[in-house]
Amino acid sequence: MDRIQHRFVEVRGLKLHVAEIGSGPNVVLFLHGFPEIWYSWRHQMLAVSQAGCRALAVDFRGYGLSDQPVEPEKTHFTDLVDDVISLLDTLGVSKVFLVGKDFGALPVFQLAIVCPERVQGIITLGIPFLLPGTGPASFPLTAFPKGFYILRWKEPVGRAEADFGRFDTKTVIRNIYILLSGSELQVASDDQEIMDLVEPDTPLPSWFSDEDLTTYASLYEKSGFRTALQVPYRTLDKDCGITDPKISVPAMLIIGEKDYVMKFPGIQDYIRGDRIKEFVPDLNIIFLPEGSHFSQEQFQTR
């Protein structure tokens, strides 16, 4: 990991942390999810650089080592899209291959729609084609059971913050990794909080080390969860302004058969049927039989 270089790039009034390795005309930009950070792409960055490409991974605004926006509660997915475009302009990258995981997939889809001339192709992990908002390419949040973690964390400022605040940052990250690496939906009862769904003696996933946990905890101790709760959770139903939701560039979806996302209501029919091809005609789907929601960390050498 020592070969990966780090710098800060001024983007729309904020300094964003960028990790980078490799060189060449072909550029791959990795966009993280939650509770991840640039670090979650470390293995893939090394592989991409060894293949002769330039690999970049950014901490989104308000995450990791990047600056917090002045008003995190006003941050929207469109801000992340505009940040990426500005970052590419500043770095002199005219065309890029985008890889997004979890909520990082949504800016990938948005970028491929609004700036197809700048996107060579896209890969998303764990999330099929979806857009923020309530349009035909969005996921109806009302379909989830009451107490589902996304709905809890989407609630206005207060409840999730109080839930997280009962524990140190390392314990919060530990609990979230354990919860989201499972194959079932994470649903709390009325008298439970999401953190209560994890027993204190539950082990970490086998592919997630104590060193990994310490690294993530140190980064979230720096950034906190203020922006992370805003984007993605509290902006999932905010319109992104896209009226023609179709991806024209080559696309790939990689998803684990044991990813809890596969338990989203209707998602199996959406992915395995023809409907997703209405939005992403040139789509290749790879199913990982033992894959969890964190396939890029679970299968580090693939």
Side-chain angles (χ1 to χ4, degrees):
M1 300 306 154
D2 292 342
R3 289 179 292 157
I4 296 176
Q5 303 297 308
H6 300 266
R7 58 169 156 161
F8 291 89
V9 180
E10 185 84 21
V11 172
R12 302 176 63 229
L14 299 174
K15 288 186 174 64
L16 299 189
H17 169 247
V18 179
E20 180 174 0
I21 187 171
S23 60
N26 293 315
V27 181
V28 180
L29 174 62
F30 295 92
L31 302 180
H32 66 80
F34 179 77
E36 296 158 306
I37 221 71
W38 79 267
Y39 179 82
S40 66
W41 296 113
R42 60 202 182 281
H43 305 292
Q44 290 74 30
M45 292 180 69
L46 293 174
V48 164
S49 69
Q50 290 165 4
C53 300
R54 182 183 179 189
L56 304 169
V58 62
D59 288 347
F60 283 125
R61 57 170 54 206
Y63 279 81
L65 299 175
S66 290
D67 283 350
Q68 288 282 342
V70 176
E71 296 180 285
E73 288 74 21
K74 293 184 178 180
T75 303
H76 189 278
F77 272 102
T78 304
D79 288 308
L80 308 188
V81 174
D82 292 342
D83 286 349
V84 170
I85 294 171
S86 180
L87 174 66
L88 296 175
D89 290 342
T90 301
L91 296 179
V93 177
S94 59
K95 204 156 190 174
V96 68
F97 197 100
L98 294 169
V99 183
K101 154 72 174 32
D102 188 68
F103 86 82
L106 275 65
V108 166
F109 296 137
Q110 290 175 260
L111 280 158
I113 293 170
V114 301
C115 298
E117 74 283 356
R118 302 198 64 172
V119 179
Q120 287 182 298
I122 64 173
I123 297 176
T124 62
L125 284 73
I127 297 292
F129 179 71
L130 296 171
L131 293 175
T134 57
S138 64
F139 192 90
L141 298 179
T142 54
F144 290 120
K146 181 183 178 183
F148 184 46
Y149 86 95
I150 289 178
L151 299 183
R152 284 287 184 87
W153 293 351
K154 184 183 179 299
E155 291 182 19
V157 175
R159 186 166 188 171
E161 286 83 353
D163 186 15
F164 289 4
R166 296 179 295 151
F167 306 94
D168 59 40
T169 302
K170 192 171 187 178
T171 301
V172 173
I173 297 298
R174 171 189 173 277
N175 288 354
I176 294 173
Y177 256 93
I178 291 170
L179 274 177
L180 301 191
S181 63
S183 59
E184 300 297 326
L185 297 184
Q186 308 80 3
V187 181
S189 60
D190 289 345
D191 60 350
Q192 273 185 316
E193 299 301 331
I194 298 301
M195 291 292 103
D196 298 329
L197 295 176
V198 181
E199 295 293 335
D201 59 352
T202 305
L204 287 167
S206 60
W207 40 264
F208 193 76
S209 70
D210 287 333
E211 180 183 356
D212 295 335
L213 177 58
T214 299
T215 299
Y216 281 107
S218 67
L219 291 169
Y220 276 93
E221 282 172 358
K222 187 267 178 188
S223 67
F225 298 101
R226 190 175 171 189
T227 302
L229 287 168
Q230 174 68 13
V231 179
Y233 302 103
R234 291 170 182 157
T235 55
L236 277 174
D237 58 357
K238 305 300 182 185
D239 183 66
C240 63
I242 292 174
T243 56
D244 184 17
K246 181 169 283 191
I247 302 285
S248 60
V249 302
M252 177 181 289
L253 166 65
I254 301 173
I255 191 163
E257 296 275 14
K258 295 184 177 180
D259 188 331
Y260 71 91
V261 171
M262 296 293 279
K263 297 290 177 66
F264 281 17
I267 206 76
Q268 293 266 4
D269 290 341
Y270 177 58
I271 295 175
R272 299 184 191 275
D274 295 330
R275 185 162 175 260
I276 194 171
K277 293 292 184 77
E278 296 175 12
F279 302 112
V280 194
D282 189 5
L283 175 66
N284 182 28
I285 303 177
I286 296 177
F287 294 99
L288 303 176
E290 297 299 317
S292 71
H293 192 58
F294 299 98
S295 56
Q296 88 279 24
E297 296 192 83
Q298 184 181 3
F299 305 113
Q300 300 171 0
T301 59
R302 287 195 181 183

